Amino acid sequence: MLALSGAKSAAASAVGGRHFRFNWLLPAFAALALSGCMPATTQVASADPADPAAKVARVGYRSTIAPYSSLRPATPAPWRDRNDAVTPQPKQDR
């Protein structure tokens, strides 16, 4: 009986040993894959953004609704008169 239990434990340790060799592959692959998600550590600007004496460009204001002109109140007019006002005039030489 002891020899039989020893054989089972030897077989289990051999299988466990085989899995142990490949156990490091998963964390290594995960570390390699996640290393691409790390931000670059290069210096982007020469001036420190937290420096209050740093020179910056002037801020300009442009209105987003500047070309808007109100169309209210529009006086109602008959549709035929409005249509005649926007149609091109016929040429006189024909």
Side-chain angles (χ1 to χ4, degrees):
M1 201 60 157
L2 289 176
L4 187 60
S5 67
K8 284 183 180 178
S9 67
S13 67
V15 170
R18 190 173 340 138
H19 286 292
F20 179 71
R21 278 187 262 154
F22 295 107
N23 255 354
W24 63 272
L25 271 176
L26 183 62
F29 180 71
L32 183 64
L34 290 175
S35 67
C37 299
M38 295 298 293
T41 57
T42 59
Q43 187 175 3
V44 178
S46 60
D48 182 19
D51 182 17
K55 294 185 178 184
V56 294
R58 296 187 70 116
V59 178
Y61 174 75
R62 254 188 321 197
S63 175
T64 56
I65 58 169
Y68 173 76
S69 61
S70 176
L71 298 177
R72 288 186 186 186
T75 57
W79 66 269
R80 192 171 300 243
D81 293 341
R82 286 196 180 237
N83 193 24
D84 290 340
V86 295
T87 54
Q89 299 298 324
K91 295 186 178 181
Q92 297 295 335
D93 58 334
R94 291 188 186 183

